[in-house]
Amino acid sequence: MSVFQILVWLHLSGFQDWRRVDNGAFCGENKTRLFNKNKEKGTECFLESTFTAWCNSHLRKAGTQIDNIEEDFRDGLKLMLLLAVISGTYTSPQRKMRVHKINNVNKALDFIASKGVKLVSIGAEEIVDGNAKMTLGMIWTIILRFAIQDISVEETSAKEGLLLWCQRKTAPYKNVNVQNFHISWKDGLAFNALIHRHRPELIDYDKLRKDDAVTNLNNAFEVAEKYLDIPKMLDAEDIVGTLRPDEKAIMTYVSCFYHAFSGAQKAETAANRICKVLAVNQENEHLMEDYEKLASDLLEWIRRTIPWLENRKPEKTMAEMQQKLEDFRDYRRVHKPPKVQEKCQLEINFNTLQTKLRLSNRPAFMPSEGRMVSDINGAWHTLEGAEKGYEEWLLSEMRRLERLDHLAMKFRQKAAIHECWTEGQEAMLTQKDYETASLSEVKALLRKHEAFESDLAAHQDRVEQIAAIAQELNELDYYDSPSVNTRCQKICEQWDILGSLTQKRRESLERTEKQLESIDELYLEYAKRAAPFNNWMEGAMEDLQDMFIVHNIEEIQGLMTAHDQFKSTLPEANKEREAIQAIQAEVQKIADYNGIRLSGTNPYTTITPESIDEKWEKVAMQLVPLRDQALQEELTKQQSNDTLRSKFANQANIVGPWIQNKMEEIGRISIEMNGTLEDQLTNLKDYEQSIIDYKPNIDDLESNHTLIQEALIFDNKYTDYTMEHLRVGWEQLLTTIARTINEIENQILTRDAKGISQEQLHEYRASFNHFDKDHSGALMAEEFKACLISLGYDVENDKQGDAEFARIMSIVDPNNSGAVTFQAFIDFMSRETTDTDTADQVIASFKILAGDKNFITAEELRRELPPDQAEYCIARMAPYTGPDGGPGALDYMSFSTALYGESDL
């Protein structure tokens, strides 16, 4: 209690003649004015009785007492004993001569002065002479110093503190209104209320009557003396019979109640601290459970989705693959976007939880194994890798199926032409017609066989093409490969047989050639020229009917150029046809001229002039125009595809740089210090909304990308951006702006919780940005050390400085990543400048509740704490194993250290 407070209190209490000087000294103008002159003699007797009882309450601890306050203290012996009991010190008294008595009293007065109270004008002689007023004044000074002065309630002390304590304790009771230390206590209800508030089992308060003051007072005095060890210092009849009871006597008696119940007050304070700590812990545990559930759900969805994306089971038809592609687009449009939002929200929740844990001085939250943010990011990265691989596989598989369909159709077409050609060839090669033929007929058969061999050699290329197509179909895993292989095997075996039969027939004809002479040169020439020309026409028919597949304008233009080159050869081919037909005409002319009867057919070939004309008509007049039309239609299609490419590229070339620019702007905003944190948060949210408003452009780009995929367009020369790159960039942009907003919110949370001013935050940001040379948003270890040195930390390169820097790094970088974020930097600076609860404080609070025991019981917890928090502690406290424990003893020390991560809970 300050000097000024005591002087004001004395003035307001009626002690106008007492003044406090030098270190709290009490003085009187003279020995006869220690008490107000206007005090009645009865009041003095009232005080003497009260003070005597108060002194005896302490002297009985030394096995003695006083009967007359002005007489029994005259020799200084019991006065020194009283001070020894109160202060716990003892000074040996001298003998009982007057000089010795004065010396004893002086020792007592010196002791009082040593406790910060200097008594002026109160000498040992007055006490030895039995001056009642001086003796009472001295006792009142002792009471003030040792019983009342140390009372403190909410930064008030002494009289005001004691009065505030009484008002708070009696506030819930009817008919009690404590406003002072005199008339507020006359009806006795205030004394009974104080006892009932702390020991309700001792008094039935509801049975007390306000109009029965004597009964109320005696009840309180008797209960206090019997159960609370507070002696009866007041007389009920004196209080009731006095218009205004003496304030000092009431204060003296009430102070005994305060000290008797001070332990309960400490228990209440301790309970409040524990409740606050447990409430924070329960909230944090709820947030941890929410994080674990959200992380488990997201990881489970990823776990279910990845096998589907990694399923590479090929389909047999293009329609089935188209359905797979549609399912994949549905996954991209419908199923994945909510999960992207959940992942972003999960990171935000995790960062907010860690911030709250740091602000409440709790250990960082470590999710269960496999549920760290890094684990989720890793699983997400695996998901996106599988997703990208699945899309590439789908497109590749569709190309493969398209290629397979084209090859299968080409195989069947060539196989059908070959089989048509080989039909009947075995029978022709195995007949023995030359044995009965004439010379001319044999020569004709030989020439015919030569022509057949020429035709056979011409068909060799087709057989090789058929085999090559069949092999490619097998390599591309065509679903109907067995039937293709069977047909190809049959064609190859038949081809081998034809080759063998051809060789045998030639040998037979050559054996008879010597016997046969006449050959019709013209027929032979016709046959030799007609066969390759016919084969050329068949090849042209085959090429003109051959299907083609192109992917861009350049490829179709190449086909059109090749087709134009083919058409340019038609005039020469027509001349050859006319020349062949002229040979046949010459044969007929010679026969007519010489009267030769022709058999009607060329003996050397089955190719007739009519068949040549028919094939020529089909090639020149039918297939060439159809080919022109097909190529022109494909050119139109490729031009349309090129338009789609250009449209997509124009949008992509705008969206791509826009996303990159926004990413750079966010990075720049995150390190600038424009305005307050609330202003920055508002600007970032407006910025986020402007990004969200840009979403329709992404949707339009997705629509154009869908049209490109449906058109089976696999490349785009007009842009380097792909839809996959733009999707990833868009998702990163949304995640980055959300993460930046969360960082500002956490900075606000840190500022408000730690009491950091806006100027301090600006100073921290300026220091951080100064050493963040690459603007990465994080400081490397050496950069961070330089920053600490600039802020006055002793982390120079010596043994002590290295140890201090290592300690700080373990706080700001617990994962040993080698980098310190701005949030971690702020948390460290705020922790260095603010005070927080500690495990030792919580242990001290529990020790108060436990009555200074090293353990606590469930009954004590339920009595001192709210029900839910009491049960929370009981469920988590380990049994106490110390030798001083007993059944039901709980270990509150290990529980308190576990709350702050210093041990396992």
Side-chain angles (χ1 to χ4, degrees):
M1 190 174 190
S2 68
V3 173
F4 178 75
Q5 287 177 309
I6 293 176
L7 286 171
V8 172
W9 179 82
L10 288 172
H11 177 75
L12 295 177
S13 301
F15 280 76
Q16 289 83 357
D17 297 328
W18 285 35
R19 296 186 300 276
R20 183 75 184 272
V21 297
D22 297 335
N23 300 321
F26 287 92
C27 69
E29 294 182 0
N30 54 57
K31 296 180 181 179
T32 61
R33 299 183 64 197
L34 288 173
F35 286 87
N36 193 304
K37 295 178 180 180
N38 298 323
K39 294 293 182 177
E40 297 177 354
K41 184 64 177 179
T43 302
E44 183 175 328
C45 293
F46 187 87
L47 279 176
E48 182 175 339
S49 175
T50 302
F51 287 1
T52 299
W54 182 87
C55 292
N56 284 333
S57 69
H58 292 285
L59 287 172
R60 65 185 176 183
K61 299 176 184 177
T64 186
Q65 65 177 24
I66 63 172
D67 297 320
N68 188 308
I69 196 168
E70 59 263 30
E71 291 294 330
D72 292 348
F73 284 141
R74 291 178 63 185
D75 60 0
L77 296 178
K78 291 188 178 181
L79 177 60
M80 293 177 68
L81 186 60
L82 173 64
L83 292 174
V85 172
I86 292 174
S87 65
T89 62
Y90 183 76
T91 301
S92 176
Q94 296 180 359
R95 301 178 67 86
K96 293 188 176 181
M97 296 177 64
R98 175 176 175 81
V99 64
H100 294 153
K101 293 178 181 179
I102 293 174
N103 188 40
N104 291 339
V105 173
N106 278 327
K107 286 183 178 181
L109 295 179
D110 290 341
F111 177 82
I112 295 173
S114 71
K115 295 300 180 180
V117 179
K118 186 178 293 184
L119 295 175
V120 181
S121 298
I122 297 180
E125 292 82 0
E126 285 83 356
I127 306 301
V128 173
D129 292 338
N131 188 313
K133 290 186 178 181
M134 287 300 176
T135 302
L136 290 176
M138 179 186 66
I139 297 302
W140 176 241
T141 301
I142 294 173
I143 293 172
L144 283 175
R145 173 59 183 85
F146 294 102
I148 298 177
Q149 181 175 320
D150 292 334
I151 296 175
S152 177
V153 179
E154 287 192 359
E155 298 183 358
T156 65
S157 61
K159 178 182 177 181
E160 291 83 357
L162 185 60
L163 182 62
L164 179 59
W165 178 78
C166 295
Q167 290 171 341
R168 289 195 170 183
K169 295 301 179 180
T170 61
Y173 295 88
K174 62 182 180 179
N175 298 325
V176 178
N177 183 17
V178 178
Q179 297 296 326
N180 49 57
F181 287 107
H182 37 82
I183 60 174
S184 295
W185 303 83
K186 284 189 66 174
D187 58 8
L189 291 178
F191 290 110
N192 285 277
L194 278 178
I195 297 173
H196 185 269
R197 178 63 182 271
H198 296 90
R199 297 288 299 275
E201 75 278 8
L202 300 180
I203 291 180
D204 189 354
Y205 185 85
D206 294 332
K207 291 184 178 180
L208 300 177
R209 294 184 297 116
K210 185 176 179 64
D211 57 355
D212 193 358
V214 174
T215 300
N216 296 342
L217 289 167
N218 284 327
N219 181 66
F221 297 159
E222 291 168 3
V223 169
E225 186 172 35
K226 184 176 180 180
Y227 296 101
L228 303 179
D229 199 26
I230 299 175
K232 186 177 179 180
M233 301 180 185
L234 305 176
D235 184 81
E237 286 75 14
D238 289 346
I239 294 176
V240 174
T242 302
L243 180 64
R244 187 174 185 271
D246 188 80
E247 188 174 52
K248 293 176 287 302
I250 299 296
M251 283 181 63
T252 300
Y253 189 59
V254 171
S255 69
C256 294
F257 284 91
Y258 175 87
H259 291 293
F261 296 134
S262 62
Q265 178 69 25
K266 292 179 181 178
E268 181 180 350
T269 302
N272 290 337
R273 176 182 290 274
I274 292 173
C275 290
K276 177 182 175 183
V277 171
L278 295 179
V280 171
N281 217 59
Q282 288 172 311
E283 179 185 3
N284 290 341
E285 286 186 358
H286 179 68
L287 292 175
M288 293 174 189
E289 291 169 0
D290 289 347
Y291 172 87
E292 289 283 346
K293 184 178 184 305
L294 187 58
S296 297
D297 293 344
L298 184 58
L299 287 171
E300 177 61 21
W301 177 81
I302 294 174
R303 185 191 64 78
R304 294 196 311 269
T305 304
I306 288 179
W308 175 68
L309 293 173
E310 291 178 344
N311 180 17
R312 301 293 192 270
K313 181 181 179 181
E315 300 295 343
K316 296 180 179 180
T317 64
M318 180 67 77
E320 292 172 328
M321 289 305 298
Q322 285 283 6
Q323 183 59 46
K324 278 185 175 289
L325 181 61
E326 190 60 31
D327 293 342
F328 181 71
R329 289 173 181 164
D330 188 64
Y331 154 80
R332 275 267 180 79
R333 292 191 299 261
V334 178
H335 301 291
K336 185 183 178 184
K339 298 303 177 182
V340 173
Q341 183 63 31
E342 287 181 15
K343 175 177 175 292
C344 178
Q345 189 61 44
L346 188 69
E347 295 182 4
I348 291 173
N349 291 350
F350 180 83
N351 292 335
T352 301
L353 172 59
Q354 297 293 45
T355 298
K356 288 185 176 181
L357 288 172
R358 286 191 297 270
L359 294 179
S360 60
N361 199 25
R362 300 302 194 275
F365 170 54
M366 291 297 293
S368 56
E369 186 175 359
R371 293 185 175 90
M372 294 286 291
V373 173
S374 59
D375 296 328
I376 294 173
N377 288 334
W380 190 266
H381 180 73
T382 303
L383 174 72
E384 291 186 330
E387 178 181 323
K388 181 179 180 182
Y390 186 72
E391 183 177 26
E392 293 174 352
W393 174 78
L394 282 176
L395 298 177
S396 174
E397 195 66 12
M398 291 180 69
R399 294 192 196 99
R400 185 182 71 83
L401 288 177
E402 183 183 30
R403 174 69 176 165
L404 285 175
D405 288 344
H406 171 70
L407 289 175
M409 185 174 293
K410 190 171 184 179
F411 173 84
R412 288 191 289 269
Q413 183 182 22
K414 288 184 176 292
I417 294 173
H418 178 76
E419 288 166 348
C420 180
W421 178 81
T422 59
E423 185 178 359
Q425 298 293 358
E426 285 188 41
M428 183 272 294
L429 291 173
T430 55
Q431 64 184 348
K432 305 296 183 180
D433 53 344
Y434 55 85
E435 294 179 351
T436 58
S438 62
L439 179 61
S440 60
E441 290 173 340
V442 171
K443 289 185 177 292
L445 290 174
L446 185 58
R447 299 298 183 267
K448 181 179 180 181
H449 187 72
E450 291 176 353
F452 173 78
E453 286 181 327
S454 177
D455 199 10
L456 186 68
H459 278 79
Q460 176 67 33
D461 183 62
R462 181 179 290 114
V463 174
E464 292 175 354
Q465 290 179 7
I466 292 172
I469 293 173
Q471 181 179 356
E472 187 172 359
L473 287 171
N474 278 279
E475 291 174 352
L476 294 176
D477 197 23
Y478 181 54
Y479 76 95
D480 199 21
S481 292
S483 64
V484 171
N485 292 336
T486 301
R487 192 171 185 181
C488 180
Q489 183 65 26
K490 183 178 178 181
I491 290 173
C492 292
E493 291 175 354
Q494 186 184 36
W495 184 256
D496 292 337
I497 293 172
L498 287 178
S500 177
L501 293 175
T502 299
Q503 182 64 27
K504 291 179 180 179
R505 184 172 177 81
R506 165 172 278 283
E507 293 172 355
S508 298
L509 289 174
E510 287 179 347
R511 283 194 301 268
T512 59
E513 186 182 15
K514 296 178 182 179
Q515 304 169 8
L516 304 173
E517 293 181 352
S518 185
I519 288 262
D520 192 335
E521 293 294 336
L522 290 175
Y523 270 130
L524 182 58
E525 183 181 358
Y526 175 90
K528 288 183 176 181
R529 296 184 66 175
F533 183 74
N534 181 69
N535 189 59
W536 174 85
M537 286 194 297
E538 288 181 348
M541 292 169 61
E542 183 178 342
D543 291 339
L544 290 172
Q545 296 179 82
D546 189 13
M547 296 181 62
F548 57 84
I549 178 170
V550 295
H551 298 94
N552 50 55
I553 292 179
E554 289 75 10
E555 292 180 2
I556 189 61
Q557 288 176 342
L559 290 177
M560 295 181 74
T561 299
H563 183 63
D564 290 340
Q565 291 175 352
F566 169 76
K567 289 195 295 184
S568 67
T569 63
L570 290 179
E572 289 295 327
N574 190 39
K575 291 180 180 180
E576 178 65 15
R577 182 185 66 82
E578 291 174 348
I580 294 172
Q581 296 293 43
I583 293 173
Q584 183 63 28
E586 182 66 20
V587 168
Q588 188 63 42
K589 180 180 178 182
I590 294 173
D592 292 342
Y593 181 77
N594 294 296
I596 299 174
R597 182 181 177 185
L598 299 176
S599 60
T601 59
N602 192 324
Y604 304 111
T605 182
T606 59
I607 301 172
T608 65
E610 292 79 11
S611 66
I612 290 177
D613 287 341
E614 289 175 0
K615 291 179 181 180
W616 176 258
E617 177 70 20
K618 186 173 182 180
V619 170
M621 302 302 170
Q622 297 179 20
L623 295 180
V624 169
L626 289 176
R627 188 71 167 185
D628 287 335
Q629 181 181 354
L631 290 173
Q632 186 60 43
E633 290 175 353
E634 184 62 27
L635 177 62
T636 302
K637 175 184 175 183
Q638 290 302 323
Q639 289 173 339
S640 175
N641 289 350
D642 206 52
T643 301
L644 289 176
R645 289 189 184 94
S646 178
K647 184 176 181 181
F648 175 83
N650 291 337
Q651 289 181 304
N653 289 336
I654 294 174
V655 171
W658 184 88
I659 291 176
Q660 181 64 31
N661 182 53
K662 293 299 179 184
M663 289 291 288
E664 294 173 357
E665 288 182 5
I666 293 172
R668 185 175 63 256
I669 291 173
S670 65
I671 63 173
E672 290 179 348
M673 300 178 292
N674 295 327
T676 65
L677 289 177
E678 286 74 8
D679 293 340
Q680 296 177 35
L681 182 62
T682 300
N683 294 336
L684 280 173
K685 288 185 176 180
D686 292 342
Y687 201 77
E688 180 184 37
Q689 187 58 46
S690 69
I691 292 174
I692 294 174
D693 293 341
Y694 198 75
K695 183 64 164 59
N697 296 289
I698 304 297
D699 295 336
D700 290 344
L701 203 60
E702 285 281 7
S703 300
N704 291 333
H705 180 63
T706 300
L707 295 176
I708 285 178
Q709 286 189 323
E710 290 174 350
L712 298 178
I713 301 173
F714 305 113
D715 58 351
N716 194 335
K717 65 182 179 180
Y718 300 113
T719 181
D720 293 329
Y721 292 102
T722 65
M723 197 64 229
E724 175 64 24
H725 294 156
L726 295 175
R727 283 193 204 101
V728 172
W730 175 253
E731 293 172 358
Q732 289 179 346
L733 180 61
L734 293 177
T735 301
T736 300
I737 187 64
R739 186 183 295 114
T740 303
I741 290 174
N742 179 246
E743 289 177 357
I744 296 300
E745 291 173 340
N746 285 339
Q747 291 177 27
I748 293 175
L749 186 61
T750 302
R751 181 200 64 191
D752 295 341
K754 298 295 185 178
I756 300 174
S757 66
Q758 186 67 36
E759 291 73 16
Q760 285 178 304
L761 282 177
H762 276 292
E763 180 184 352
Y764 294 158
R765 170 57 80 179
S767 298
F768 189 89
N769 289 347
H770 176 75
F771 291 96
D772 184 15
K773 303 300 183 181
D774 56 356
H775 305 294
S776 63
L779 297 180
M780 296 297 102
E782 290 303 319
E783 294 175 335
F784 181 57
K785 177 182 281 189
C787 182
L788 288 176
I789 293 173
S790 72
L791 293 174
Y793 284 84
D794 185 12
V795 290
E796 296 290 347
N797 292 325
D798 54 34
K799 186 175 182 179
Q800 183 178 358
D802 291 342
E804 175 65 10
F805 182 67
R807 180 190 70 81
I808 296 175
M809 284 299 292
S810 68
I811 296 173
V812 299
D813 184 23
N815 296 326
N816 295 322
S817 63
V820 180
T821 64
F822 181 63
Q823 184 61 42
F825 176 70
I826 286 183
D827 289 342
F828 170 73
M829 295 303 298
S830 63
R831 181 181 300 179
E832 291 291 302
T833 56
T834 57
D835 187 23
T836 57
D837 290 332
T838 65
D840 290 339
Q841 291 176 327
V842 176
I843 290 174
S845 298
F846 271 118
K847 191 164 188 177
I848 292 173
L849 296 188
D852 284 337
K853 299 191 299 292
N854 292 327
F855 60 88
I856 196 168
T857 64
E859 180 183 357
E860 289 170 334
L861 287 171
R862 292 191 177 102
R863 185 177 68 236
E864 301 295 346
L865 299 180
D868 60 332
Q869 295 185 340
E871 297 305 324
Y872 177 86
C873 292
I874 293 169
R876 287 163 174 77
M877 281 188 183
Y880 179 73
T881 57
D884 55 337
L890 300 175
D891 187 356
Y892 61 79
M893 294 185 182
S894 63
F895 173 78
S896 299
T897 56
L899 289 177
Y900 293 87
E902 299 175 12
S903 65
D904 294 331
L905 187 60

